[in-house]
Amino acid sequence: MELDSKRLKLKEVTWDDLENMHLLYSFPEVDEYNTLGIPESIEKTKEMIRSMIEAQQEENRKSYSWKIVKRDSDEFIGMAGITLSSNRFRLGEIYYELLPSQWGQGYATEVAKMLIQSGFDDFHLHKVEAGVATKNIRSIRVLEKSGMTREGLRRKILPIRGEWKDNYHYAIVEDDPRD
């Protein structure tokens, strides 16, 4: 499954993306609000993306992971995904990470909007959600520009470098206005 927008394409992660994914996960700036931590080696990154690749073969698939590439050059700039609920509530949770050199150019907002649109159009979700660390101002702006609404605070839910951090819960439902 592939998604595209004016400037970007989302393509399913493959083993050929291992080095790019390792590079992405190795930036301290990318890891600042991430619960995974910086991988100690490329072998650890391989373990991390194994489930992304194996999910592509599942019959009742609940997880989609894409590399983000620029439409005009096919240059890798990050990764994104959606996890679907396995129940009648029709929920999906989105996430995205970009190389720091690509920050501030509107790509994250473009990706978030693509994921939201796909959630409603392709996966027939009722609600698309996202969590964000309360101090992650950049990502909060992305979610709000994407049409999501802050629905609440989840206290001390994110284990980041040995500390429990708070998380805002954002969402958009299928009949909310979108551009």
Side-chain angles (χ1 to χ4, degrees), residues 98-116:
L98 294 174
L99 293 169
S101 62
Q102 305 302 312
W103 292 0
Q105 299 177 55
Y107 294 135
T109 303
E110 197 167 323
V111 167
K113 287 181 176 184
M114 256 194 290
L115 293 172
I116 290 166

Side-chain angles (χ1 to χ4, degrees), residues 73-97:
S73 65
D74 227 31
E75 174 190 356
F76 174 91
I77 65 166
M79 68 90 54
I82 188 167
T83 304
L84 308 173
S85 67
S86 57
N87 55 39
R88 62 188 174 103
F89 296 105
R90 296 179 21 227
L91 301 173
E93 183 174 7
I94 64 169
Y95 58 93
Y96 47 83
E97 295 172 305

